[in-house]
Amino acid sequence: FFLSLKLEKKAKGKLQKQICQVVLDHFEKQYTAELGDAWSSVRDVLTSPWCWQHAVLLNRFSQSPGLESSLAEQGYHPAFPAALPYLPAAFRCYSRTAPGRFPAQKHQPGRLKEYYLLNAASLLPVLALEVQDGEDVLDLCAAPGGKSVAILQCACPDRFHCNEYDDLRSRWLEQTIESFIPGPLINLITVSKMDGRQIGDLQPEFYDKVLVDAPCSNDRSWLFSADPQQAVLRLMQRKELSSLQFQLLRSAVKALRPGGSLVYSTCTLSRAENSNVINLILNSCRNVMPVDISGMARGVSQEFTFLSGTQQHELLVLPEKGRAWGPMYVAKLKKVSST
């Protein structure tokens, strides 16, 4: 016990020093205005990595007989209740209220991993998308690949297009898919390095479901920017992100078939990159309508803390001690016609 306490103190000291004050000051000003009283408890979690939680998503293509009992012994329980509007039987994820991380598995060519470690909130966009067997699915900004893997835990699409524009991140995506998905199924997956803003024009009305997990100002990682100059540059570029996100969303709408739906997600608390982008799409694309996801939010309210006052088609997960998931913004839209 004393050793773990000592290690925790050491970790606290080490991590505390790495917090980038420039970013924290920026967040303090913006999020006090946008989140009000909720910001102080969110800030406490974001600046305290030793209290972060990690969920374990099981890989249905490589099951280990003793894994679930081992997780149960360590205090893990099913993260998502069976009462959810959409929860395929093969989709199994475990979480616990205690912080810490289950041991990671190394990438071994030719051998599938048994589980994926992740922030449980990042699975909400996948559950909101409600992918069914035989559908044509596009993951527009797919790296590092966790959501692509999660989609394949839910269903077997007819075509599955995973796109990542950045070259380095695209290689990371390919390795993730190789680590979790068996050969026959990999043949159904197309991995591309296209500019996501152009896919809608190149493949109009081609997909039943589109996930836009957009590039965003990642609040968790930005707070620990080691280089203050890089942090300043990031904060300057932050203003341009909403324009990129809007263009990616517009491309996604074009790529959708009428009747198809899309989910937009980010891992930032920023209103400019979340609600404002969705409102802009709803105001500029008359063939798109919001989809109510409040039923899903109610179903997972025991696991996650949400910002109150959001619209029925959106949710924002707020990190809280004991529920240190998020930030994660999720919004769902449906395409009602071609024009």
Side-chain angles (χ1 to χ4, degrees), residues 61-262:
F61 306 111
S62 174
Q63 294 180 2
S64 168
L67 180 56
E68 287 181 89
S69 56
S70 175
L71 285 164
E73 283 167 18
Q74 295 185 47
Y76 285 85
H77 60 272
F80 298 96
L84 276 183
Y86 173 85
L87 192 74
F91 183 91
R92 288 174 301 153
C93 179
Y94 286 81
S95 67
R96 63 178 184 180
T97 52
R101 187 193 288 257
F102 200 69
Q105 292 182 312
K106 285 189 176 141
H107 173 69
Q108 294 178 294
R111 185 172 177 182
L112 295 181
K113 291 186 180 181
E114 295 163 355
Y115 54 86
Y116 191 100
L117 302 177
L118 76 178
N119 186 312
S122 65
L123 294 171
L124 293 175
V126 173
L127 294 177
L129 195 60
E130 300 189 23
V131 175
Q132 308 292 337
D133 288 347
E135 290 183 325
D136 295 327
V137 182
L138 168 64
D139 189 350
L140 193 67
C141 315
K147 292 182 180 67
S148 298
V149 166
I151 286 170
L152 291 167
Q153 302 306 312
C154 294
C156 184
D158 188 34
R159 292 191 196 91
F160 190 24
H161 182 178
C162 301
N163 181 68
E164 178 53 53
Y165 183 57
D166 181 86
D167 191 54
L168 188 65
R169 285 173 61 82
S170 182
R171 288 204 293 275
W172 189 3
L173 168 66
E174 286 178 338
Q175 183 176 294
T176 301
I177 290 171
E178 184 190 319
S179 291
F180 285 92
I181 310 304
L185 199 54
I186 281 184
N187 297 333
L188 302 175
I189 302 170
T190 302
V191 177
S192 68
K193 292 190 280 189
M194 300 161 72
D195 184 335
R197 294 170 291 187
Q198 297 171 1
I199 285 179
D201 289 323
L202 295 169
Q203 298 181 320
E205 302 193 348
F206 199 80
Y207 298 99
D208 301 299
K209 302 279 169 69
V210 179
L211 175 63
V212 186
D213 187 44
C216 66
S217 48
N218 186 319
D219 294 351
R220 279 187 192 243
S221 64
W222 281 26
L223 270 170
F224 295 90
S225 302
D227 180 357
Q229 286 180 314
Q230 182 198 41
V232 171
L233 185 64
R234 275 176 165 174
L235 291 172
M236 286 168 63
Q237 292 172 334
R238 193 179 202 204
K239 296 168 187 170
E240 299 162 21
L241 278 169
S242 57
S243 173
L244 169 62
Q245 290 155 348
F246 173 75
Q247 290 171 62
L248 288 168
L249 257 180
R250 193 167 54 185
S251 174
V253 171
K254 288 179 183 176
L256 265 183
R257 292 178 179 136
S261 53
L262 71 83

Side-chain angles (χ1 to χ4, degrees), residues 258-279:
S261 53
L262 71 83
V263 168
Y264 173 78
S265 61
T266 75
C267 51
T268 181
L269 298 158
S270 175
R271 191 182 294 159
E273 299 176 52
N274 294 338
S275 297
N276 290 5
V277 173
I278 290 296
N279 290 339

Side-chain angles (χ1 to χ4, degrees), residues 260-311:
S261 53
L262 71 83
V263 168
Y264 173 78
S265 61
T266 75
C267 51
T268 181
L269 298 158
S270 175
R271 191 182 294 159
E273 299 176 52
N274 294 338
S275 297
N276 290 5
V277 173
I278 290 296
N279 290 339
L280 196 57
I281 277 287
L282 287 170
N283 290 332
S284 60
C285 298
R286 293 184 181 176
N287 59 339
V288 170
M289 62 179 287
V291 177
D292 187 349
I293 55 171
S294 59
M296 183 184 77
R298 279 193 302 276
V300 295
S301 59
Q302 295 299 309
E303 289 280 346
F304 302 98
T305 299
F306 298 108
L307 179 68
S308 59
T310 55
Q311 301 291 306

